[in-house]
Amino acid sequence: MNMKKLIFIIMYFILVNSINSQNISEEQNIKNKQYLVNLDLNVLETIDIMVMFNDASKQLPDDTINGIYTYQKFLFDMTMECSNIRNDIKLSKVMTSNEREEHIAMMFATIRPEVIYTYKEIDNSHDLKNHETINELHERIKKYITFLQNEIIKSDKSVIENKSISKYFMNIHSQHFMFQLLSDYIVNSDKLSDNNLEYLLKIALSIENALVPDKAKR
């Protein structure tokens, strides 16, 4: 068993025990359902982006571009990851309110399992600050996505000229997908419970800290 899977299993039991002790209100349950419906639409748009990239890759001369099949497999895997998220959303439709709350947190956990869910009482001022912080973060993420899209366009020319898929090309695609997915999760986060919002914020900040140089966050 690899370390990432072990961390995920440990976190799962912590999360289940924490959320099972909560009493999710009907109002929050309705918001959770709305959040998941919107998330499904957001992820569907990300699938469209992956399909667009894949269609463009098929226009390249695959018999002369080194690494083209690896790139196409990456796009396929990312598309399947999005499909798995949509399947998770479908599963949530028959869940109880507590199960649905837990399920949303588990969906967040799959993005970055090493960030541990912690249940705690969050007062209104803390919750308001979290909403402000995640909105500010989302603005930065949208800028990262735009930057990476421009880098992908520039790198497309380099791929054709060098007849090779570079490590940098794969890296910017990987980062683009991660930030696009984060945006999908964040865009309707005002409907999340205070603890799930804080958990998503912790995950998003962790990913930003790992992928973005400090100077680029300003």
Coordinates of all heavy atoms in Angstrom, one line a residue, residues 2-92:
N2 N 0.7 2.2 -1.0 CA 1.5 3.4 -1.0 C 1.0 4.4 0.1 O -0.1 4.3 0.6 CB 1.5 4.0 -2.4 CG 0.1 4.4 -2.9 OD1 -0.6 5.0 -2.1 ND2 -0.2 4.2 -4.1
M3 N 1.9 5.3 0.3 CA 1.7 6.3 1.4 C 0.5 7.1 1.2 O -0.3 7.4 2.1 CB 2.9 7.2 1.6 CG 2.8 8.1 2.8 SD 2.5 7.3 4.4 CE 4.1 6.5 4.6
K4 N 0.2 7.5 -0.1 CA -0.9 8.4 -0.4 C -2.2 7.7 -0.1 O -3.1 8.3 0.5 CB -0.8 8.8 -1.9 CG -1.9 9.8 -2.3 CD -1.7 10.3 -3.7 CE -2.7 11.4 -4.0 NZ -2.5 11.9 -5.4
K5 N -2.3 6.4 -0.4 CA -3.5 5.6 -0.2 C -3.7 5.5 1.3 O -4.8 5.5 1.8 CB -3.4 4.3 -0.9 CG -4.7 3.5 -0.8 CD -4.7 2.2 -1.6 CE -6.0 1.5 -1.5 NZ -6.0 0.2 -2.4
L6 N -2.6 5.2 2.1 CA -2.7 5.0 3.5 C -3.2 6.3 4.2 O -4.1 6.3 5.1 CB -1.3 4.7 4.1 CG -1.2 4.5 5.6 CD1 -2.2 3.4 6.1 CD2 0.2 4.2 6.0
I7 N -2.7 7.5 3.8 CA -3.1 8.8 4.3 C -4.6 8.9 4.0 O -5.4 9.4 4.9 CB -2.3 9.9 3.7 CG1 -0.9 9.9 4.1 CG2 -2.9 11.3 4.0 CD1 0.0 10.8 3.4
F8 N -5.1 8.6 2.8 CA -6.5 8.7 2.4 C -7.4 7.9 3.3 O -8.4 8.4 3.8 CB -6.7 8.3 1.0 CG -8.0 8.6 0.5 CD1 -8.4 9.9 0.0 CD2 -9.0 7.6 0.4 CE1 -9.6 10.1 -0.5 CE2 -10.3 7.9 0.0 CZ -10.6 9.1 -0.5
I9 N -7.0 6.7 3.6 CA -7.8 5.8 4.5 C -7.9 6.3 5.9 O -8.9 6.3 6.5 CB -7.2 4.3 4.5 CG1 -7.4 3.7 3.1 CG2 -7.8 3.5 5.5 CD1 -6.6 2.4 2.9
I10 N -6.7 6.7 6.4 CA -6.7 7.3 7.8 C -7.6 8.5 7.9 O -8.4 8.7 8.8 CB -5.3 7.7 8.2 CG1 -4.4 6.4 8.4 CG2 -5.3 8.4 9.5 CD1 -3.0 6.7 8.6
M11 N -7.5 9.4 6.8 CA -8.3 10.6 6.8 C -9.8 10.3 6.7 O -10.6 10.9 7.3 CB -7.9 11.5 5.6 CG -8.4 12.9 5.7 SD -9.0 13.4 4.1 CE -10.3 12.3 3.8
Y12 N -10.1 9.2 6.0 CA -11.5 8.8 5.8 C -12.2 8.5 7.1 O -13.3 9.0 7.4 CB -11.6 7.6 4.9 CG -13.0 7.0 4.8 CD1 -13.9 7.6 3.9 CD2 -13.3 5.9 5.5 CE1 -15.2 7.0 3.9 CE2 -14.6 5.3 5.4 CZ -15.5 5.9 4.6 OH -16.8 5.4 4.5
F13 N -11.5 7.7 8.0 CA -12.1 7.3 9.2 C -12.2 8.6 10.2 O -13.2 8.7 10.9 CB -11.2 6.3 9.9 CG -11.4 4.9 9.3 CD1 -10.4 4.3 8.5 CD2 -12.6 4.2 9.4 CE1 -10.6 3.1 7.9 CE2 -12.8 3.0 8.8 CZ -11.8 2.4 8.1
I14 N -11.2 9.5 10.1 CA -11.3 10.7 10.9 C -12.5 11.5 10.4 O -13.3 12.0 11.2 CB -10.0 11.5 10.8 CG1 -8.9 10.8 11.4 CG2 -10.2 12.9 11.4 CD1 -7.5 11.5 11.2
L15 N -12.7 11.6 9.1 CA -13.8 12.4 8.6 C -15.1 11.8 8.9 O -16.0 12.6 9.3 CB -13.5 12.5 7.1 CG -14.4 13.5 6.3 CD1 -13.6 14.0 5.1 CD2 -15.7 12.9 5.8
V16 N -15.3 10.5 8.7 CA -16.6 9.9 9.0 C -17.0 10.1 10.5 O -18.1 10.4 10.8 CB -16.5 8.4 8.7 CG1 -17.7 7.6 9.2 CG2 -16.4 8.2 7.2
N17 N -16.0 9.9 11.4 CA -16.3 10.0 12.8 C -16.7 11.5 13.1 O -17.6 11.7 14.0 CB -15.1 9.6 13.7 CG -14.9 8.1 13.6 OD1 -15.9 7.4 13.4 ND2 -13.7 7.7 13.8
S18 N -16.1 12.4 12.5 CA -16.4 13.8 12.7 C -17.8 14.2 12.2 O -18.5 14.8 12.9 CB -15.3 14.7 12.0 OG -14.0 14.5 12.6
I19 N -18.1 13.8 11.0 CA -19.3 14.3 10.4 C -20.5 13.5 10.9 O -21.6 14.0 11.1 CB -19.2 14.1 8.8 CG1 -18.2 15.1 8.3 CG2 -20.6 14.4 8.2 CD1 -18.1 15.2 6.8
N20 N -20.3 12.3 11.3 CA -21.4 11.5 11.9 C -21.9 12.1 13.2 O -23.0 11.9 13.7 CB -21.0 10.0 12.2 CG -21.0 9.2 10.9 OD1 -21.7 9.6 9.9 ND2 -20.4 8.1 10.9
S21 N -21.0 12.9 13.9 CA -21.4 13.6 15.1 C -22.2 14.9 14.9 O -22.7 15.5 15.8 CB -20.2 13.9 16.0 OG -19.4 14.8 15.3
Q22 N -22.3 15.3 13.6 CA -23.0 16.5 13.3 C -24.5 16.2 13.0 O -24.9 15.1 12.7 CB -22.4 17.2 12.0 CG -20.9 17.5 12.2 CD -20.3 18.2 11.0 OE1 -20.9 19.1 10.4 NE2 -19.2 17.7 10.5
N23 N -25.2 17.3 12.9 CA -26.6 17.2 12.5 C -26.9 18.2 11.4 O -27.0 19.4 11.7 CB -27.6 17.5 13.7 CG -29.0 17.3 13.3 OD1 -29.3 16.6 12.4 ND2 -29.9 18.0 14.1
I24 N -26.8 17.7 10.2 CA -26.9 18.6 9.0 C -28.4 19.1 8.9 O -29.3 18.2 8.7 CB -26.5 17.9 7.7 CG1 -25.1 17.3 7.9 CG2 -26.5 18.8 6.5 CD1 -24.0 18.3 8.3
S25 N -28.6 20.4 8.9 CA -29.9 20.9 8.7 C -30.5 20.7 7.3 O -29.8 20.5 6.4 CB -29.9 22.4 9.0 OG -29.2 23.1 8.0
E26 N -31.8 20.8 7.2 CA -32.5 20.6 5.9 C -32.1 21.7 5.0 O -31.9 21.5 3.8 CB -34.0 20.6 6.1 CG -34.7 20.3 4.8 CD -34.3 19.0 4.1 OE1 -33.9 18.1 4.7 OE2 -34.3 19.0 2.8
E27 N -31.9 22.9 5.5 CA -31.4 24.1 4.7 C -30.1 23.8 4.1 O -29.9 24.0 2.9 CB -31.4 25.3 5.6 CG -30.9 26.6 4.8 CD -30.8 27.8 5.7 OE1 -31.0 27.7 6.9 OE2 -30.4 28.9 5.1
Q28 N -29.1 23.3 4.9 CA -27.8 23.0 4.4 C -27.8 21.8 3.5 O -27.1 21.8 2.5 CB -26.8 22.7 5.6 CG -25.4 22.4 5.1 CD -24.8 23.6 4.3 OE1 -24.8 24.7 4.8 NE2 -24.4 23.3 3.1
N29 N -28.7 20.9 3.7 CA -28.9 19.7 2.8 C -29.3 20.2 1.4 O -28.8 19.7 0.4 CB -29.9 18.7 3.4 CG -29.9 17.4 2.6 OD1 -28.8 16.9 2.2 ND2 -31.1 16.9 2.4
I30 N -30.2 21.1 1.4 CA -30.7 21.7 0.1 C -29.5 22.4 -0.6 O -29.3 22.3 -1.8 CB -31.9 22.6 0.3 CG1 -33.1 21.8 0.8 CG2 -32.2 23.4 -1.0 CD1 -34.3 22.7 1.2
K31 N -28.8 23.2 0.2 CA -27.6 23.9 -0.4 C -26.6 22.9 -1.0 O -26.0 23.1 -2.0 CB -27.0 24.8 0.6 CG -27.8 26.0 1.0 CD -27.0 26.9 2.0 CE -27.8 28.1 2.3 NZ -27.1 29.0 3.3
N32 N -26.4 21.8 -0.2 CA -25.4 20.8 -0.7 C -25.9 20.2 -2.0 O -25.1 19.9 -2.9 CB -25.3 19.7 0.4 CG -24.4 20.1 1.5 OD1 -23.7 21.1 1.5 ND2 -24.5 19.3 2.6
K33 N -27.2 19.9 -2.1 CA -27.7 19.4 -3.4 C -27.5 20.4 -4.5 O -27.1 20.0 -5.6 CB -29.2 19.1 -3.2 CG -29.5 17.9 -2.3 CD -31.0 17.7 -2.2 CE -31.3 16.5 -1.3 NZ -32.8 16.3 -1.2
Q34 N -27.7 21.6 -4.3 CA -27.5 22.7 -5.3 C -26.1 22.8 -5.7 O -25.7 22.9 -6.9 CB -28.0 24.0 -4.7 CG -29.5 24.1 -4.6 CD -30.0 25.4 -3.8 OE1 -29.2 26.0 -3.1 NE2 -31.2 25.8 -4.0
Y35 N -25.2 22.7 -4.7 CA -23.8 22.7 -4.9 C -23.4 21.6 -5.9 O -22.6 21.8 -6.8 CB -23.0 22.6 -3.6 CG -21.5 22.5 -3.8 CD1 -20.7 23.7 -4.1 CD2 -20.9 21.3 -3.8 CE1 -19.4 23.6 -4.3 CE2 -19.5 21.2 -4.0 CZ -18.7 22.4 -4.3 OH -17.4 22.3 -4.5
L36 N -23.8 20.4 -5.6 CA -23.4 19.3 -6.4 C -24.0 19.4 -7.9 O -23.3 18.9 -8.8 CB -23.9 18.0 -5.7 CG -23.1 17.6 -4.5 CD1 -23.9 16.6 -3.7 CD2 -21.7 17.2 -4.8
V37 N -25.2 19.9 -8.0 CA -25.7 20.1 -9.4 C -24.9 21.1 -10.1 O -24.5 20.8 -11.3 CB -27.2 20.6 -9.3 CG1 -27.7 21.1 -10.7 CG2 -28.1 19.5 -8.8
N38 N -24.5 22.2 -9.5 CA -23.6 23.2 -10.2 C -22.2 22.6 -10.4 O -21.7 22.9 -11.5 CB -23.5 24.4 -9.3 CG -24.8 25.2 -9.2 OD1 -25.7 25.1 -10.1 ND2 -25.1 25.9 -8.1
L39 N -21.7 21.8 -9.5 CA -20.4 21.2 -9.7 C -20.4 20.3 -10.9 O -19.5 20.3 -11.7 CB -20.0 20.4 -8.4 CG -18.7 19.6 -8.5 CD1 -17.5 20.6 -8.8 CD2 -18.5 18.8 -7.3
D40 N -21.5 19.6 -11.1 CA -21.6 18.7 -12.2 C -21.5 19.5 -13.5 O -20.8 19.1 -14.5 CB -22.9 17.9 -12.2 CG -23.0 16.8 -13.2 OD1 -22.1 16.0 -13.3 OD2 -24.0 16.8 -14.0
L41 N -22.2 20.6 -13.6 CA -22.1 21.4 -14.8 C -20.8 22.0 -15.0 O -20.3 22.1 -16.2 CB -23.2 22.6 -14.7 CG -24.6 22.2 -14.6 CD1 -25.5 23.4 -14.3 CD2 -25.1 21.5 -15.9
N42 N -20.1 22.4 -13.9 CA -18.7 22.9 -14.0 C -17.7 21.9 -14.6 O -16.9 22.2 -15.4 CB -18.2 23.4 -12.7 CG -19.1 24.6 -12.1 OD1 -19.8 25.3 -12.9 ND2 -19.1 24.7 -10.8
V43 N -17.9 20.7 -14.0 CA -16.9 19.6 -14.4 C -17.2 19.2 -15.9 O -16.3 18.9 -16.6 CB -17.1 18.4 -13.5 CG1 -16.3 17.2 -14.0 CG2 -16.6 18.7 -12.1
L44 N -18.5 19.3 -16.3 CA -18.8 19.0 -17.7 C -18.1 20.0 -18.6 O -17.6 19.6 -19.7 CB -20.3 19.1 -17.9 CG -20.9 18.6 -19.2 CD1 -20.4 17.1 -19.5 CD2 -22.4 18.7 -19.2
E45 N -18.0 21.2 -18.2 CA -17.2 22.2 -19.0 C -15.7 21.9 -19.1 O -15.1 22.1 -20.1 CB -17.4 23.6 -18.4 CG -18.9 24.2 -18.6 CD -19.0 25.6 -18.1 OE1 -18.0 26.2 -17.6 OE2 -20.2 26.1 -18.1
T46 N -15.2 21.4 -18.0 CA -13.8 21.0 -18.0 C -13.6 19.8 -18.9 O -12.5 19.7 -19.6 CB -13.3 20.6 -16.5 OG1 -13.4 21.8 -15.7 CG2 -11.9 20.1 -16.5
I47 N -14.5 18.9 -18.9 CA -14.4 17.8 -19.9 C -14.4 18.3 -21.3 O -13.6 17.8 -22.1 CB -15.6 16.8 -19.7 CG1 -15.5 16.0 -18.4 CG2 -15.7 15.8 -20.9 CD1 -16.7 15.1 -18.1
D48 N -15.2 19.3 -21.6 CA -15.2 19.9 -22.9 C -13.8 20.5 -23.3 O -13.4 20.4 -24.4 CB -16.2 21.0 -23.0 CG -17.7 20.5 -23.0 OD1 -17.8 19.3 -23.3 OD2 -18.6 21.2 -22.7
I49 N -13.1 21.0 -22.3 CA -11.8 21.6 -22.5 C -10.8 20.5 -22.8 O -10.0 20.6 -23.8 CB -11.3 22.4 -21.3 CG1 -12.2 23.6 -21.1 CG2 -9.8 22.8 -21.4 CD1 -11.9 24.4 -19.8
M50 N -10.9 19.4 -22.1 CA -10.0 18.2 -22.3 C -10.3 17.6 -23.7 O -9.3 17.2 -24.4 CB -10.2 17.1 -21.3 CG -9.9 17.5 -19.8 SD -8.1 17.9 -19.6 CE -8.2 19.7 -19.4
V51 N -11.5 17.6 -24.1 CA -11.9 17.0 -25.4 C -11.3 18.0 -26.5 O -10.8 17.5 -27.5 CB -13.4 16.9 -25.6 CG1 -13.8 16.6 -27.0 CG2 -13.9 15.8 -24.6
M52 N -11.4 19.3 -26.3 CA -10.9 20.3 -27.2 C -9.4 20.1 -27.4 O -8.9 20.0 -28.5 CB -11.2 21.7 -26.7 CG -10.6 22.8 -27.6 SD -10.8 24.4 -26.9 CE -9.6 24.3 -25.5
F53 N -8.7 19.9 -26.3 CA -7.2 19.7 -26.4 C -6.9 18.4 -27.1 O -6.0 18.3 -27.9 CB -6.6 19.6 -25.0 CG -6.4 20.9 -24.3 CD1 -6.6 21.0 -22.9 CD2 -6.0 22.0 -25.0 CE1 -6.4 22.2 -22.3 CE2 -5.8 23.3 -24.4 CZ -6.0 23.4 -23.0
N54 N -7.7 17.3 -26.8 CA -7.5 16.0 -27.5 C -7.8 16.1 -29.0 O -7.0 15.6 -29.8 CB -8.4 15.0 -26.8 CG -8.0 13.6 -27.2 OD1 -6.8 13.3 -27.3 ND2 -9.0 12.7 -27.5
D55 N -8.8 16.8 -29.4 CA -9.1 17.0 -30.8 C -8.0 17.7 -31.5 O -7.6 17.4 -32.6 CB -10.4 17.7 -31.0 CG -11.7 16.9 -30.6 OD1 -11.5 15.7 -30.5 OD2 -12.7 17.5 -30.4
A56 N -7.4 18.7 -30.8 CA -6.3 19.5 -31.4 C -5.1 18.6 -31.6 O -4.4 18.7 -32.5 CB -6.0 20.7 -30.5
S57 N -4.9 17.7 -30.6 CA -3.7 16.8 -30.6 C -3.8 15.9 -31.8 O -2.8 15.4 -32.4 CB -3.6 16.0 -29.3 OG -4.5 15.0 -29.3
K58 N -5.0 15.5 -32.2 CA -5.2 14.6 -33.3 C -4.9 15.3 -34.7 O -4.7 14.6 -35.7 CB -6.6 14.1 -33.3 CG -6.9 13.2 -32.2 CD -8.4 12.7 -32.1 CE -8.6 11.8 -30.9 NZ -10.1 11.5 -30.8
Q59 N -4.7 16.6 -34.7 CA -4.3 17.3 -35.9 C -2.8 17.3 -36.1 O -2.3 17.6 -37.2 CB -4.8 18.8 -35.8 CG -6.3 18.9 -35.6 CD -7.2 18.1 -36.7 OE1 -6.9 18.2 -37.9 NE2 -8.1 17.4 -36.2
L60 N -2.1 16.9 -35.0 CA -0.6 16.8 -35.1 C -0.2 15.5 -35.8 O -0.9 14.5 -35.7 CB 0.0 16.8 -33.7 CG -0.2 18.1 -32.9 CD1 0.3 17.9 -31.4 CD2 0.5 19.3 -33.5
P61 N 0.9 15.6 -36.5 CA 1.4 14.4 -37.2 C 1.9 13.4 -36.2 O 3.1 13.4 -35.8 CB 2.5 14.9 -38.1 CG 3.0 16.2 -37.5 CD 1.8 16.7 -36.8
D62 N 1.1 12.4 -35.7 CA 1.5 11.5 -34.6 C 2.7 10.6 -34.9 O 3.3 10.1 -34.0 CB 0.3 10.7 -34.1 CG -0.4 9.9 -35.3 OD1 0.2 9.8 -36.4 OD2 -1.5 9.5 -35.1
D63 N 3.0 10.4 -36.2 CA 4.1 9.6 -36.5 C 5.4 10.3 -36.4 O 6.5 9.6 -36.5 CB 3.9 9.0 -38.0 CG 3.8 10.1 -39.0 OD1 3.4 11.2 -38.6 OD2 4.1 9.9 -40.2
T64 N 5.4 11.6 -36.2 CA 6.7 12.3 -36.1 C 6.8 13.1 -34.8 O 7.9 13.6 -34.5 CB 6.8 13.4 -37.3 OG1 5.7 14.3 -37.2 CG2 6.8 12.6 -38.6
I65 N 5.8 13.2 -34.0 CA 5.8 13.9 -32.7 C 6.1 13.0 -31.6 O 5.3 12.1 -31.2 CB 4.5 14.7 -32.4 CG1 4.1 15.6 -33.5 CG2 4.6 15.4 -31.1 CD1 5.0 16.8 -33.6
N66 N 7.3 13.1 -31.0 CA 7.7 12.2 -29.9 C 6.9 12.5 -28.7 O 6.9 13.7 -28.3 CB 9.2 12.4 -29.7 CG 9.7 11.5 -28.6 OD1 9.4 10.3 -28.5 ND2 10.6 12.0 -27.7
G67 N 6.3 11.5 -28.1 CA 5.5 11.7 -26.9 C 4.1 12.0 -27.1 O 3.4 12.3 -26.1
I68 N 3.6 12.0 -28.3 CA 2.2 12.4 -28.6 C 1.2 11.5 -27.9 O 0.2 11.9 -27.4 CB 1.9 12.5 -30.1 CG1 0.5 13.1 -30.3 CG2 2.1 11.2 -30.8 CD1 0.4 14.5 -29.9
Y69 N 1.6 10.2 -27.9 CA 0.6 9.2 -27.3 C 0.6 9.3 -25.8 O -0.5 9.2 -25.2 CB 1.1 7.8 -27.7 CG 1.0 7.5 -29.2 CD1 2.1 7.2 -29.9 CD2 -0.3 7.6 -29.8 CE1 2.0 7.0 -31.3 CE2 -0.4 7.4 -31.2 CZ 0.8 7.1 -31.9 OH 0.7 6.9 -33.3
T70 N 1.7 9.7 -25.2 CA 1.7 9.9 -23.7 C 0.8 11.1 -23.4 O 0.0 11.1 -22.4 CB 3.1 10.2 -23.2 OG1 4.0 9.1 -23.5 CG2 3.2 10.5 -21.7
Y71 N 0.9 12.2 -24.2 CA 0.1 13.4 -24.0 C -1.4 13.0 -24.2 O -2.2 13.5 -23.4 CB 0.5 14.4 -25.1 CG -0.4 15.6 -25.1 CD1 -0.7 16.4 -24.0 CD2 -0.9 16.1 -26.4 CE1 -1.5 17.5 -24.1 CE2 -1.7 17.2 -26.4 CZ -2.0 17.9 -25.3 OH -2.8 19.0 -25.4
Q72 N -1.7 12.3 -25.2 CA -3.1 11.9 -25.5 C -3.7 11.0 -24.3 O -4.8 11.2 -23.9 CB -3.3 11.2 -26.8 CG -3.1 12.2 -28.0 CD -3.1 11.5 -29.3 OE1 -2.8 10.3 -29.4 NE2 -3.3 12.2 -30.4
K73 N -2.8 10.2 -23.8 CA -3.3 9.3 -22.7 C -3.5 10.2 -21.4 O -4.4 9.9 -20.7 CB -2.2 8.3 -22.3 CG -2.6 7.3 -21.2 CD -1.6 6.3 -20.9 CE -2.2 5.3 -19.9 NZ -2.6 5.9 -18.6
F74 N -2.7 11.2 -21.2 CA -2.9 12.2 -20.1 C -4.2 12.8 -20.3 O -5.0 12.9 -19.3 CB -1.8 13.2 -20.1 CG -2.1 14.4 -19.3 CD1 -1.9 14.4 -17.9 CD2 -2.6 15.6 -19.9 CE1 -2.2 15.5 -17.1 CE2 -2.8 16.7 -19.1 CZ -2.6 16.6 -17.7
L75 N -4.6 13.3 -21.4 CA -5.8 14.0 -21.7 C -7.0 13.0 -21.4 O -8.0 13.4 -20.8 CB -5.9 14.5 -23.1 CG -4.9 15.7 -23.4 CD1 -5.0 16.0 -24.9 CD2 -5.2 16.9 -22.5
F76 N -6.8 11.8 -21.8 CA -7.9 10.7 -21.6 C -8.0 10.5 -20.1 O -9.2 10.4 -19.6 CB -7.5 9.4 -22.3 CG -8.4 8.3 -22.1 CD1 -9.7 8.2 -22.7 CD2 -8.1 7.3 -21.1 CE1 -10.5 7.2 -22.4 CE2 -9.0 6.3 -20.9 CZ -10.2 6.2 -21.5
D77 N -6.9 10.3 -19.4 CA -7.0 10.1 -18.0 C -7.7 11.2 -17.2 O -8.4 11.0 -16.3 CB -5.6 9.9 -17.4 CG -5.0 8.5 -17.8 OD1 -5.7 7.7 -18.3 OD2 -3.7 8.4 -17.7
M78 N -7.4 12.5 -17.6 CA -8.0 13.6 -17.0 C -9.5 13.7 -17.3 O -10.3 14.0 -16.4 CB -7.3 14.9 -17.4 CG -5.9 15.1 -17.1 SD -5.5 14.9 -15.3 CE -5.0 13.1 -15.2
T79 N -9.9 13.3 -18.5 CA -11.3 13.2 -18.8 C -12.0 12.2 -18.0 O -13.1 12.4 -17.5 CB -11.4 12.9 -20.3 OG1 -10.8 13.9 -21.1 CG2 -12.9 12.9 -20.7
M80 N -11.3 11.0 -17.8 CA -11.9 10.0 -17.0 C -12.0 10.4 -15.5 O -13.0 10.0 -14.8 CB -11.0 8.7 -17.1 CG -11.1 8.0 -18.4 SD -12.9 7.6 -18.9 CE -13.4 6.5 -17.5
E81 N -11.0 11.2 -15.0 CA -11.1 11.7 -13.7 C -12.3 12.6 -13.5 O -13.0 12.5 -12.5 CB -9.8 12.5 -13.4 CG -9.8 13.1 -12.0 CD -9.6 12.0 -10.9 OE1 -9.1 10.9 -11.2 OE2 -10.1 12.3 -9.8
C82 N -12.6 13.4 -14.5 CA -13.8 14.2 -14.5 C -15.1 13.4 -14.5 O -16.1 13.7 -13.8 CB -13.8 15.2 -15.6 SG -12.6 16.5 -15.5
S83 N -15.0 12.3 -15.3 CA -16.2 11.4 -15.3 C -16.4 10.7 -14.0 O -17.6 10.5 -13.6 CB -16.0 10.3 -16.4 OG -15.9 10.9 -17.7
N84 N -15.3 10.4 -13.3 CA -15.5 9.8 -12.0 C -16.1 10.8 -11.0 O -16.9 10.4 -10.1 CB -14.1 9.4 -11.4 CG -13.5 8.2 -12.2 OD1 -14.3 7.4 -12.8 ND2 -12.2 8.0 -12.1
I85 N -15.8 12.0 -11.1 CA -16.4 13.1 -10.2 C -17.9 13.1 -10.5 O -18.7 13.2 -9.6 CB -15.7 14.4 -10.5 CG1 -14.3 14.4 -10.0 CG2 -16.5 15.6 -9.8 CD1 -13.5 15.7 -10.4
R86 N -18.2 13.1 -11.8 CA -19.7 13.2 -12.1 C -20.4 11.9 -11.6 O -21.6 12.0 -11.2 CB -19.8 13.3 -13.7 CG -19.2 14.6 -14.2 CD -19.7 14.8 -15.7 NE -21.1 15.2 -15.7 CZ -21.9 14.9 -16.7 NH1 -21.5 14.2 -17.8 NH2 -23.2 15.2 -16.7
N87 N -19.7 10.8 -11.7 CA -20.4 9.6 -11.1 C -20.5 9.7 -9.6 O -21.6 9.3 -9.0 CB -19.5 8.3 -11.4 CG -19.6 7.9 -12.9 OD1 -20.6 8.2 -13.5 ND2 -18.5 7.3 -13.4
D88 N -19.6 10.3 -8.9 CA -19.7 10.5 -7.5 C -20.9 11.4 -7.2 O -21.6 11.2 -6.2 CB -18.4 11.2 -6.9 CG -17.3 10.2 -6.7 OD1 -17.6 9.0 -6.6 OD2 -16.1 10.6 -6.6
I89 N -21.1 12.4 -8.0 CA -22.2 13.3 -7.8 C -23.5 12.6 -8.0 O -24.5 12.8 -7.2 CB -22.1 14.5 -8.8 CG1 -20.9 15.4 -8.5 CG2 -23.4 15.3 -8.8 CD1 -20.6 16.4 -9.5
K90 N -23.6 11.7 -9.0 CA -24.8 10.9 -9.2 C -25.1 10.0 -7.9 O -26.2 9.9 -7.5 CB -24.7 10.0 -10.4 CG -24.7 10.8 -11.7 CD -24.5 9.8 -12.9 CE -24.4 10.6 -14.2 NZ -24.2 9.7 -15.4
L91 N -24.0 9.4 -7.3 CA -24.2 8.6 -6.2 C -24.8 9.4 -5.0 O -25.5 8.8 -4.2 CB -22.8 8.0 -5.7 CG -22.2 6.9 -6.7 CD1 -20.8 6.6 -6.2 CD2 -23.1 5.7 -6.7
S92 N -24.5 10.6 -4.9 CA -24.9 11.5 -3.8 C -26.4 11.7 -3.8 O -27.0 12.1 -2.7 CB -24.2 12.8 -3.8 OG -24.8 13.7 -4.8

